[in-house]
Amino acid sequence: YMVEVAEHTLPAAYSYVAIPKVDRDAFLMARVTGWEELDLVDGPANVYYEDSYVGESRISTAGINDTLDLSLGRDNDIRVERKELEDRTSRKVIGSERKQTMTYEITVKNTTAAPIHLVLRDQVPVSMDDQIKVEVLERSNGDLDGPEGIVEWPLDLQPGASSTVKLSFEIRHPKGWNVSYRTRLRKQKVVF
């Protein structure tokens, strides 16, 4: 049996987040304020949106300031595509260096009936070695967080509208080195 103990209504700001190199879907996020007064404890939470069960999430109050971010699930009406542009991607040896250039095109289309705000995120590699150099060549006016290498594009899309951004970077390293990069998710941020 499920028994409702309490019900609270809190203000929230809604926006979408998409990280297409990790997942091709966009997620609706609720940024909830005023939650501190409820004495919430860490644990699982059943999430309902517009009277529909979305799924189970986890509330973690450790390290959260005045805003609690909750995912309200995937939205299949927002199309996100990330593709590598083969004609602008290359691997070359120049003297004693090897150079890799990677270029991606990311397209977001709003097929909902309402305008949306979406934060699009991607990332460039961050070198931990002085002999490996990473240079951002193109980021379509995205905001770059240097230490993490995260690039963000805040997008406002009307119904039926789409937006395309490009991300290009170059990795230079000594010729005999085998350098590869991979994607993993850490603390809700994409890192290499």
Side-chain angles (χ1 to χ4, degrees):
Y1 294 97
M2 292 184 65
V3 177
E4 184 175 308
V5 175
E7 181 177 318
H8 302 283
T9 302
L10 297 171
Y14 298 96
S15 68
Y16 290 89
V17 174
I19 309 172
K21 73 181 292 181
V22 177
D23 195 308
R24 294 182 56 129
D25 290 330
F27 293 83
L28 179 60
M29 301 293 292
R31 302 203 66 188
V32 180
T33 56
W35 65 272
E36 308 93 339
E37 301 158 10
L38 301 179
D39 293 325
L40 297 176
V41 295
D42 291 359
N46 292 321
V47 179
Y48 291 84
Y49 180 66
E50 295 181 344
D51 295 327
S52 295
Y53 178 71
V54 174
E56 188 173 292
S57 186
R58 180 150 188 84
I59 293 178
S60 176
T61 58
I64 297 177
N65 297 328
D66 61 347
T67 305
L68 177 66
D69 290 327
L70 292 174
S71 173
L72 300 179
R74 301 171 189 269
D75 190 327
N76 295 325
D77 291 329
I78 299 172
R79 311 266 191 261
V80 183
E81 181 183 14
R82 179 183 192 257
K83 64 182 177 181
E84 186 175 342
L85 298 179
E86 298 293 332
D87 61 332
R88 294 192 50 203
T89 297
S90 66
R91 290 166 178 76
K92 298 177 184 174
V93 176
I94 302 172
S96 63
E97 278 190 329
R98 177 167 276 152
K99 178 174 97 168
Q100 295 181 2
T101 304
M102 309 297 288
T103 303
Y104 298 95
E105 181 178 80
I106 306 167
T107 303
V108 180
K109 181 167 175 116
N110 177 14
T111 64
T112 67
I116 63 164
H117 176 74
L118 180 134
V119 176
L120 180 63
R121 290 188 184 131
D122 208 308
Q123 186 181 32
V124 296
V126 176
S127 174
M128 300 299 175
D129 189 307
D130 291 340
Q131 294 184 3
I132 301 173
K133 308 284 187 223
V134 178
E135 179 184 354
V136 178
L137 304 174
E138 183 177 359
R139 57 185 163 99
S140 297
N141 294 321
D143 299 323
L144 174 64
D145 174 5
E148 294 287 330
I150 295 174
V151 183
E152 282 191 356
W153 296 271
L155 303 174
D156 291 307
L157 297 172
Q158 294 299 317
S162 64
S163 180
T164 301
V165 298
K166 288 185 182 166
L167 179 63
S168 182
F169 54 88
E170 177 182 271
I171 304 169
R172 289 179 176 257
H173 57 85
K175 183 169 63 172
W177 290 23
N178 185 13
V179 175
S180 64
Y181 60 94
R182 65 181 190 278
T183 304
R184 65 178 179 220
L185 192 61
R186 183 190 306 161
K187 294 183 183 177
Q188 298 183 353
K189 287 189 177 180
V190 179
V191 294
F192 281 93

